Each structure stands twice: as C-alpha cells, then as structure tokens.
Amino acid sequence: MEDTKPNVVKITFDGIEVEVEAGTTIMQAARRIAEADGTQAHLVPPAMCYYKPLEGTGGKCRACLVKVAQGSAKDTRPMPKLVPSCITQVQDGMVVENTTNPAVLEARKGVVEFLLINHPLDCPICDQAGECHLQDFAFEHGAAQTRYEEERRTFEKHDIGPYIQLHMTRCILCYRCVYTADQITNQRVHGVLNRGDAAEISTYIEKAIDNDFSGNVIDVCPVGALTDKTYRFKNRVWFTKPVDAHRDCPTCKGEVTLWCRGEEVIRVTARKNQWGEVQDFICNTCRFDQKKTSDWVIEGPTKVQRSSVISANKYRADLVKKPDFALKLASSQYKAIDDSRPYVTDPDTIRQQSVENNDKANHRSLLAENN
Amino acid sequence: MQLTERSKQVSNKEMTLSEKAYLPAIVQGMAITLKHFFKKKVTIQYPEVKRYLGPVFRGRHILKRDEEGRERCTACGLCAVACPAEAISMVAEERQKGEEHLYREEKYAAVYEVNMLRCIFCGLCEEACPKQAVYLRHDEMVPVFTERDQVIWGKDLLVENMNNRYKREAWTKEEARQLDQKRAEGQAAGVEPRAIP
Ligand code: SF4
Ligand code: SF4
Ligand code: SF4
Ligand code: FES
C-alpha cells in the first residue's frame, strides 16, 4: 500500500477491513466500523470499565477481551492470550477475532460470571435497572444460570454528600468514578480503599463531595452503585420519558436529558452517545436543582434504541398522522348557511314549516329507497 | 361446491300444496321451540350460580404475602411493562426502619392499581414478576360491577388476606407440568393445595 499515509494502519476486525490512525485501540477501530455501518454494532466488544471521555480508563474488567489471530503484517504470529481490546493498540495488518471466535465468547461468559460473583441480583429494587450496562452485558454474553452458591460480599449503604448514594455492594470496581473525580473535579475526595475482596469506594471518612461536577459519577457508573438520591425509588427508568433539553448554565454547557413522567421532571442526566458515554459533563445545579420544565428549553424526545426497554410504551403521538378522511368529507359537503331567508318568530308558521320540511324529507328518502 | 353435509340447495321452484298451506311449517317450527323447554338448560344464573373454574383459570389478581405476612411486591414495574393492556400502575416507596415485618424488600409498592376494565387476563404480569408477588386467581373472577370506579382495584382489594390465604396445587409452570405428568401416569392422587412460602 504505497498511497496510504504512514500513520494510517489497516486491520481486519471480524473479517471487516478498516483503516484507522496508528495508536488507535482495537475497541476504537471496532466502534469506527459500527459508526460507519449501524448494522455491525453487535461486533463491537462490550466495555464495562473503558470510558472514552476519561483518560486512563480501561483494562480493569476484561469484558472486552478479543483474540488477535495475527499480530501485524510483519509478525504474523497470533498473540498467545486474549487481549483487552480497549487498551491494546492496533498494528498494521492485525487480524482480530471477536464474535467469530468461540473461545472469545466462552471467555466472556466467564467474565460475566466473575463480575456477578459479588454483584447482588437486586435489579427489581435497583434504580439503574433498564439502563445498566451490567444487565446488558450479562443478558447478551452471560449464561442463563448462576453456579455461585456462596455468600456475596455486602457493604452498608453510604451517602456521599447530600445527593449521591453509594451501594458498594453493587460496585464492580471499574474505577470510572475515580477517574471522573480526578479529571472533572479539581479536588478528589473519594477513591478505592483496601484490596481484593475488601476493596471499596470510600470518601475518606464520608467526607462529602461538594464539588460542582461531582454528580457526574452517577452517570459514568455502569451499574447502580452510585445513584441519584433525588431520584431514589421515584420511578422505573422505562416509565419515564427522556427528552433533550438545554438551559443557559454559567458552569457547564447545560445540555441534558430530562426524564419526565407526564409534565414532571423526575431526573436530569447528561446526554449519552451510542456507547453509553457522557457527551458533555453537567454541573450539579443542572442535575439536582433544576427540576421544573419551565427551567428548560425542550428540544424534543431523546432517540432511544428500539431494543431498549426505555422505548416500551412510548408512542410518539405527535408523529401519528390523523386520517384526513373526515376533514375531506366535511369540506366536500360544506354548504354556506343561507342567511337571506326571513327570520320567523311566529310559532304557528314555524310549526307549519317544520311539517312541510318533514314531508319533503320523507319524500326524499322514499325517492332514494325506490331508486 | 359442497362445503358441508348439511348444506341445502336453494331453488325457486313452485311450492307444493302442503308448503302452500303454511300451517304445517309453523307447527314444525313451534315443535322445535317446544322441545327446548324440556332440554337441560345451557345458561346459568350468573352471578348467583357459578361454573367450575379449572386449575389453570386466570381470574382476578392477587398480591401475595410470604409466610410471615410481608408483602412480596417490590414495585419493580416488570408486570406493568409486560402488560399488553397497560392495566397496571404503581408508586414505589422506600421501606422505613421498623417496617420490616410489613414488606419483604427495601422498596415496596405504596400504590398498586389494576384497571380491571383494561386487563385482558393474559397472565403476562404473573410470568414477569421476579418476586412471585402477583398471581391471577384460578378460583375467583372479577365480580359484576355497576360503577366505573369499582374496576380500579387498589391494594385494599388485591393484597392477600393472611386469614384466608390463596392456595394452589402448583405455583410454577414446571411444577404444574410435573403434576400433570404424574397424574397422567396415575400417581399423585391427592395433592394438597398450598399457599406460596
Ligand atoms: S462505584 Fe460505579 S463507577 Fe465507581 S468503581 Fe464502582 S462500579 Fe465503577
Ligand atoms: S393479566 Fe395481562 S392484561 Fe391483565 S394486568 Fe396482567 S399483564 Fe395486564
Ligand atoms: S407485582 Fe411483581 S412484577 Fe409487579 S411490581 Fe411487584 S414485584 Fe414487580
Ligand atoms: S472495557 Fe476493556 S478491560 Fe474493561
């Protein structure tokens, strides 16, 4: 390939060739394929910890393992082990197998099982249900039955500041929230303490996060470990209607998704892209304090994927076209009222006229019947 | 083309004398009517008289309690999203300290309503429920109603009465299938109906 620029490499992902810049990760290359052709979205490896807007994320959960069948054009040996696609950079001539390799799918099943070892199965209670990445991940890649019989690890619920609640029991230790706090807010007061089984998100003796952007940890958390206290048990995600809205915000961009039930705004979140990643981080004022429709300029319903439970029972009445038959009929039969007739007030004349009209009408209907 | 055995050819030919006489045909018709007076009636006087409802009948809903009397429903909304008629609505509430004997889970349904006019008694809510909380009773129907507000059933009507628990022979499909199989093989004569644990 003489005409390609030196910093462009070509890889084959599940049999599809794609050209990306050198330094791109396999995950990004796969997403590039799906963005160009929406029907290939199922090829993209799932990500539980990798989060593009946050630097340094990825490599923690192993959800995105893929097989590299050929390392590069120069060195055609396969990589010995499955590699995490979110942090592995592409090489020219790399051949990657994801859904085409049964070993990858089998390994992924194992990853689901490991993530669920300590994750409680309390989806009926959890506020994240319906937009939880772990639910999607387990549904698409996991086994139907659990083999785990031991006790799960449990933690007490924590309040992180007045607005955020931490259910450490549900945490999968993806570190996204830690990176968010590091990169978005200027003083991080929470992180991961202890190791292994006992590792937990902590706020150093429950010191409240009172940063303007702290609420974003709720959005980045792939599971229901960090949830919005103002939304706690308010409603199920799929009963609320997401609409895009914006407002003039001095601290953030002010572009959000409102989750409404009827006219009431019950939750505000940042807008997310196709991969569930926040587009623009929003401030706490927008998220927690602006819960009136009048605070916002509504842009229209958020696009929800048809496969998502959030799209259930939403009919878009504004898009349904009313049949125009009745209107057409009315306009074709319209007769202007004849105002030139004399205005009769005398009761006898009225009676007389109504008898005559009745006769005429009978006559007409008889005529119609006989024809 | 002859479609059934009982089909008759219709024709316009001249009527015979007995047909013209008209009365024989009337008498024949009356005889048929009369015969039905002495037959067994197919109608029953509902609601005073009720028919037998089979073990798989889907009647009115019930919100089950567990053996300690705690409400099983956790207001997860799966029944409502599964319902094709959108008959179910609910409002969730967080369980407070000291209410552990009333509700099984951290969250419970403070309001749970089924609109019996919308409901088509398909039983999808029963299948969707992860907590074995909602069931359609096999032994009771929605009673006759005269006012519209009688058909929105709230928790007062739906939640199980612990002194008169709802009992069934089988609580899951698998259980029912096993029971059927046993019956077919002639075993399992008397299965005690029981309330769900
Ligand atoms: S709380 Fe959520 S975002 Fe933070 S590490 Fe746990 S799962 Fe990840
Ligand atoms: S029986 Fe069917 S229609 Fe009736 S409430 Fe349940 S799911 Fe809805
Ligand atoms: S009845 Fe069952 S499915 Fe319906 S809200 Fe309660 S627990 Fe959920
Ligand atoms: S998304 Fe790649 S390791 Fe978690």
Side-chain angles (χ1 to χ4, degrees), chain B residues 58-59 61 79-80 82-88 112-116 118-128 134 136:
Chain B
R58 296 193 297 264
H61 302 66
C79 49
C83 177
E86 292 180 34
I88 304 178
Y112 188 100
E113 285 181 345
V114 184
N115 186 335
M116 294 297 181
R118 298 198 77 151
C119 176
I120 56 170
F121 302 96
C122 60
L124 288 184
C125 46
E126 182 178 312
E127 273 184 51
V134 71
L136 301 187

Side-chain angles (χ1 to χ4, degrees), chain B residues 22-186:
Chain B
Y22 180 66
L23 268 182
I26 288 286
V27 171
Q28 199 185 6
M30 294 301 270
I32 292 175
T33 312
L34 210 64
K35 206 168 67 193
H36 281 282
F37 277 120
F38 305 105
K39 274 200 173 159
K40 192 171 173 287
K41 289 184 189 66
V42 289
T43 49
I44 56 160
Q45 292 301 318
Y46 187 81
E48 289 82 20
V49 184
K50 288 188 177 117
R51 279 194 200 288
Y52 163 73
L53 303 176
V56 291
F57 183 79
R58 296 193 297 264
R60 53 154 284 212
H61 302 66
I62 183 166
L63 276 179
K64 292 284 290 173
R65 295 178 188 267
D66 64 4
E67 82 273 26
E68 288 164 45
R70 298 174 300 181
E71 285 173 21
R72 302 184 76 98
C73 174
T74 178
C76 69
L78 289 183
C79 49
V81 77
C83 177
E86 292 180 34
I88 304 178
S89 59
M90 72 197 67
V91 176
E93 197 87 49
E94 185 164 7
R95 184 181 68 189
Q96 301 302 317
K97 274 222 171 64
E99 291 184 335
E100 283 82 358
H101 62 288
L102 292 176
Y103 311 107
R104 236 166 107 97
E105 314 279 345
E106 208 181 323
K107 181 174 77 163
Y108 67 93
V111 177
Y112 188 100
E113 285 181 345
V114 184
N115 186 335
M116 294 297 181
L117 266 184
R118 298 198 77 151
C119 176
I120 56 170
F121 302 96
C122 60
L124 288 184
C125 46
E126 182 178 312
E127 273 184 51
C129 182
K131 296 285 172 192
Q132 293 185 289
V134 71
Y135 281 94
L136 301 187
R137 291 190 74 137
H138 73 284
D139 54 351
E140 275 183 30
M141 295 193 244
V142 178
V144 177
F145 58 89
T146 49
E147 299 291 327
R148 268 174 184 261
D149 53 9
Q150 292 171 346
V151 284
I152 310 231
W153 284 33
K155 272 181 78 179
D156 49 339
L157 293 171
L158 291 170
V159 176
E160 182 177 31
N161 177 359
M162 281 309 274
N163 299 321
N164 180 19
R165 296 198 72 179
Y166 170 47
K167 297 198 176 89
R168 260 196 200 191
E169 284 180 351
W171 284 98
T172 59
K173 270 188 190 163
E174 293 72 32
E175 225 183 318
R177 210 166 290 141
Q178 273 174 11
L179 206 61
D180 276 351
Q181 202 127 43
K182 271 192 192 159
R183 287 232 167 94
E185 288 161 10

